[in-house]
Amino acid sequence: ARAAQREHAARNGETTRAPYRGLARFETEDQDYFFGRSALVERLVALLETHRFVLVVGPSGSGKSSLLRAGLVPSLRGRAVRVLTPGAHPRLPGDTADVLVVDQFEEAFTLCEDPAGRRAFVDALVAAGRDDRSTRVVLAVRADFFGQCTHYSDLVEAVRDATVPVGPMSPAELREAIVKPATAAGLIVQRELTTRILDEVAGQPGGLPLMSHALLETWRRHHGKALTVEAYEAAGGIHGAVARTSEELYEQLTPGQRERLRHLLLRLVTPGEAGAQD
C-alpha cells in the first residue's frame, strides 16, 4: 500500500508520503502526520511519571495502536522503549527497556492456546512493573477483552488507578486529524469537505478507520494542492471507499485466490474456542 502511495506522489511531483494511513495503523515514523490525540498522549505520559503500570482500553477501531506507536513512543524522549505484541506464544524480550509497550494485548487470549503460558506472560508483565524495578509497562487491550483481564487479580491491582479509556474523538480532534496531516504535507483540505466528513463520521461506531481510508483514497485522487469534495466523492466517501477498494482488489484476484479469500473471511467471522477461554 505504501509503495502505491509513493508511486502516486512521484506521478504528481510530490516529495512527501501520503499524509493519511488508511486502514493501517500509524507507526512511530508517522508521528509527523499523527494528530487529534494530544490530550490522551499527555495523560499517558503523566501517568507513566507516577505509575509503573498503565492499561489503555478501547473498542476496535478507536486507534489504540496508533496512539501508542505514533503518539506515546515519540513523546518518551530519552527513554528506551520496546514495543511488542503477544502473538501465539507470548513472552517478554530478554533485553531491558525503560518502557515496555504491549500492543494488542488481546492476542494473549485470541492467539495463545496455552493457559499456563498466558498466565506466565501476565505474571511476568506484572513483575516487570513492580515498584522494585525501573521498567514501566503499558498494555493496550480491546474493550471486549477487558473482562478477560479481570481474571488476573495481580493485573487488576496493578492497573487499578491507571486505566485510560480511548473513546471517540471530539469534533475538534477529528478536525485536527483531517486537516493537519494535509497541512504537514503542504496540502489543504477544502472547507466544505472537512464539514462534510465531520457530519458523516460523528457518532459512527468504528468511524475513525473509515474516515482515514476515505481520506487516503481522496489524497490518491487529488490534483494540485487541495483535497476536494469531488475527489472525496470519486473515492466513495466514508461509507463507500472501503467497499470500492475491496471490489477493486477482488477483481484483480484469480479464481483460486477468490476461493481462498472466501474461506479466510468465513474463518474470521466464525467464533473460535480461543474467544471463550479462561
Side-chain angles (χ1 to χ4, degrees), residues 85-91 107-115 117-118:
T85 53
H89 305 285
R91 58 178 55 89
E107 287 187 358
F109 307 105
T110 60
L111 299 182
C112 178
E113 298 180 354
D114 175 18
R118 185 184 310 118

Side-chain angles (χ1 to χ4, degrees), residues 51 53-55 105 109 119 122-123 125-127 139 141 145-164:
H51 294 75
F53 220 105
V54 175
L55 179 68
F105 182 59
F109 307 105
R119 165 66 70 176
V122 173
D123 288 346
L125 286 172
V126 173
L139 298 185
V141 67
F145 283 90
F146 182 70
Q148 300 274 28
C149 297
T150 63
H151 294 179
Y152 301 88
S153 57
D154 288 346
L155 177 59
V156 171
E157 185 60 33
V159 302
R160 186 177 302 279
D161 299 317
T163 296
V164 179

Side-chain angles (χ1 to χ4, degrees), residues 45 48-49 73 75-82 97-99 136:
V45 172
L48 285 174
E49 293 297 325
V73 171
S75 298
L76 300 175
R77 299 177 183 86
R79 297 189 184 185
V81 183
R82 179 70 180 265
D98 296 327
V99 181
R136 260 64 171 169

Side-chain angles (χ1 to χ4, degrees), residues 37-102:
R37 290 297 196 185
S38 57
L40 267 181
V41 172
E42 290 172 5
R43 173 152 175 71
L44 288 174
V45 172
L47 276 174
L48 285 174
E49 293 297 325
T50 57
H51 294 75
R52 298 286 185 183
F53 220 105
V54 175
L55 179 68
V56 177
V57 59
S60 178
S62 59
K64 299 180 297 299
S65 293
S66 297
L67 170 69
L68 296 181
R69 295 167 184 265
L72 177 63
V73 171
S75 298
L76 300 175
R77 299 177 183 86
R79 297 189 184 185
V81 183
R82 179 70 180 265
V83 181
L84 62 91
T85 53
H89 305 285
R91 58 178 55 89
L92 296 189
D95 54 335
T96 59
D98 296 327
V99 181
L100 179 63
V101 177
V102 183

Side-chain angles (χ1 to χ4, degrees), residues 197-208:
I197 293 175
L198 287 173
D199 289 341
E200 292 182 355
V201 79
Q204 179 86 269
L208 194 58

